[in-house]
Structure formats: structure tokens, C-alpha cells
Amino acid sequence: MVNNQIGLIKESYPLIKEICSDVYAALSLVFPQLPAYVTARRAECLVAACKATQEKLKSAGITRESQRACTLKLGLPWLEWVSLEEDSSLRDLWANLLANEINPDKPEPRTAFLSILRDLSPLDAQILNTVYEEVKRLTDKTSHGQYVPTPLVIFFDINAISRILDAEDFDVRVSVQNLKRCSLISDLPIMQKIMPPEAKPITSAPTARVSFQNNAIVPPDPNKFKLTELGCLFLDACVADAGQTT
């Protein structure tokens, strides 16, 4: 067990140095005694995430010389927190975040995405991937001559997502609530519906009610949600595969 742990730690050093060389010097601030502090499982997660990031950078054609310096503010928390992530689908989101941070052709991701990633479950990630695939399908720029909606005006149905993922409706709704808490999605806006005018009374009696109101407030559909501006940025930084060139 000890030998395996030491072997993983030794393997993690060059990977971390390659991916985060600018924050490598400050690693001792987070892990003052790396062999004693990082367990074998954390080392495995860290190595897997670093390898995934390397593959994404390689697929995107980003060489070591062209990489953008990783900021300490993002790099150090990434190193620590990704080592706690045991789910491979969520580690892929972490890898996308770091790859986009290093990629000079991409805008720098917000550091707020670190804390959001920590709060996601595997089902949350599945829902975000489903949303991203639908956004990509509907906003495909190759649809010449067709209306291309922006992600902010696309509505998503919870029941449909439950069927697509073959997941329990209750679990999906809990995940949707968490994604709303993270401000990645929101309820639909309250709509004002124009109603036909009420028929005027045929009597002129003073007790007869005459209404001039022909608008009605329609509450948002509880089964639907939309992306927020922050959610759109999160999809680009963490959900879209950083290894694919556009």
C-alpha cells in the first residue's frame, strides 16, 4: 500500500509540473508534506485529472510553449479540490476548466466555477451535458437561412430530461434545484398574457361589475427552466470538450 502510494505521488509530480508549472512552486503551501497528506485515492484522482487535461490540450493542438500561464487563484484550488473528485464524469469537467484556463485561444474562465464544480453531483453533470448538446444542436451555425436562437431563449423540460437520462423524476428535480442554487439555470420569466376583453354587462345598474382589465399574469411552468448568463459561460468553460477545436 505504501509503495503504491509513493509510486502514485512520484507519478503526479511531473504531471502537475507539466500542466501547472506556474503554480508548482507554491504547491508546498497546500501540501506541506505531500506523501503524508495526500492519500492513495487522492493521488489517483489527481493523476487522472492531469492526464485528462493533457489529452485535451494535445487534441486541441496546444503546445507547451503556447500555453497561457495558469493563475495561482485558479491553479492552487484546482490541484487540491480535483484530488477529491472520484467520479470520472465530473473529473472531465475539472479537466475542461483547467485546459481552457491554459488555452490562449479561449477566454479565461471565472474562478467561481471552482466552487460550482465542487457542488455538482454526477446527475447534475449529466443534466448539464444534455442541456449543452441541445444548445449545440439548436444553435448550429451551419443551418443556413434558419433562425438561430441564443442559448438564453431556449427552454428545457424536466420531464423530457428525465426520460432522456432514464432517471427518477424526483432525482432530476433535486438536481435542477441544485443547479438553480448555483445560478446556472433559472425559472422561466413570469409572462403577461393578453386576454380577450370581458363582455360588457347589458344592464346599466350601478351594481353591475365592469372590468377594463384584459391582461393576466401567467406563472412560470414549474417543469421548465432556462440557462442563465453564468450558465452559458459555465457550459463553454467546463462542459464543452476543451479538446475539440471549433
Side-chain angles (χ1 to χ4, degrees):
M1 176 68 177
V2 174
N3 290 335
N4 290 338
Q5 180 176 344
I6 293 175
L8 285 169
I9 291 168
K10 287 182 177 179
E11 185 182 359
S12 70
Y13 274 132
L15 287 170
I16 295 171
K17 189 172 182 179
E18 172 70 20
I19 298 300
C20 303
S21 59
D22 297 289
V23 300
Y24 182 67
L27 186 60
S28 59
L29 298 176
V30 180
F31 302 132
Q33 295 177 332
L34 191 62
Y37 183 77
V38 182
T39 64
R41 294 177 74 180
R42 293 191 69 176
E44 289 174 359
C45 294
L46 186 57
V47 169
C50 288
K51 285 183 175 179
T53 305
Q54 279 184 321
E55 289 299 319
K56 291 179 183 297
L57 291 171
K58 182 179 179 181
S59 297
I62 305 301
T63 63
R64 180 69 185 91
E65 293 73 22
S66 64
Q67 290 178 11
R68 180 170 56 204
C70 179
T71 62
L72 291 172
K73 191 175 182 181
L74 187 141
L76 282 177
W78 188 93
L79 287 170
E80 181 176 8
W81 295 343
V82 79
S83 68
L84 299 172
E85 185 52 68
E86 298 176 277
D87 184 84
S88 59
S89 63
L90 287 170
R91 274 203 306 267
D92 193 64
L93 303 189
W94 284 93
N96 282 328
L97 176 63
L98 185 58
N100 283 321
E101 166 72 8
I102 296 173
N103 189 341
D105 298 327
K106 295 292 184 70
E108 292 188 22
R110 301 182 67 90
T111 54
F113 295 160
L114 291 163
S115 59
I116 291 176
L117 284 172
R118 292 181 68 188
D119 290 343
L120 297 185
S121 72
L123 181 56
D124 297 346
Q126 287 182 300
I127 292 174
L128 289 173
N129 275 294
T130 302
V131 167
Y132 171 72
E133 290 299 328
E134 183 66 5
V135 168
K136 187 169 66 171
R137 183 183 70 83
L138 293 176
T139 58
D140 185 1
K141 301 301 183 181
T142 62
S143 300
H144 300 293
Q146 297 184 9
Y147 167 69
V148 179
T150 66
L152 293 173
V153 300
I154 300 174
F155 300 159
F156 304 92
D157 187 273
I158 295 177
N159 296 323
I161 290 176
S162 298
R163 291 193 298 271
I164 292 171
L165 298 179
D166 193 23
E168 292 292 335
D169 182 76
F170 176 83
D171 295 335
V172 172
R173 291 181 184 277
V174 170
S175 283
V176 166
Q177 289 175 3
N178 186 49
L179 295 174
K180 289 179 182 178
R181 183 186 64 84
C182 294
S183 299
L184 299 180
I185 63 175
S186 66
D187 292 323
L188 301 188
I190 296 177
M191 305 296 290
Q192 190 174 45
K193 185 178 180 180
I194 305 299
M195 305 293 290
E198 292 186 10
K200 295 183 178 180
I202 59 176
T203 175
S204 60
T207 56
R209 183 173 64 89
V210 178
S211 174
F212 298 98
Q213 179 66 36
N214 66 341
N215 293 340
I217 301 300
V218 180
D221 188 340
N223 293 314
K224 290 183 171 59
F225 63 86
K226 63 185 287 290
L227 281 169
T228 63
E229 290 83 355
L230 184 67
C232 292
L233 292 179
F234 185 85
L235 290 185
D236 288 337
C238 302
V239 179
D241 188 358
Q244 292 183 354
T245 56
T246 56

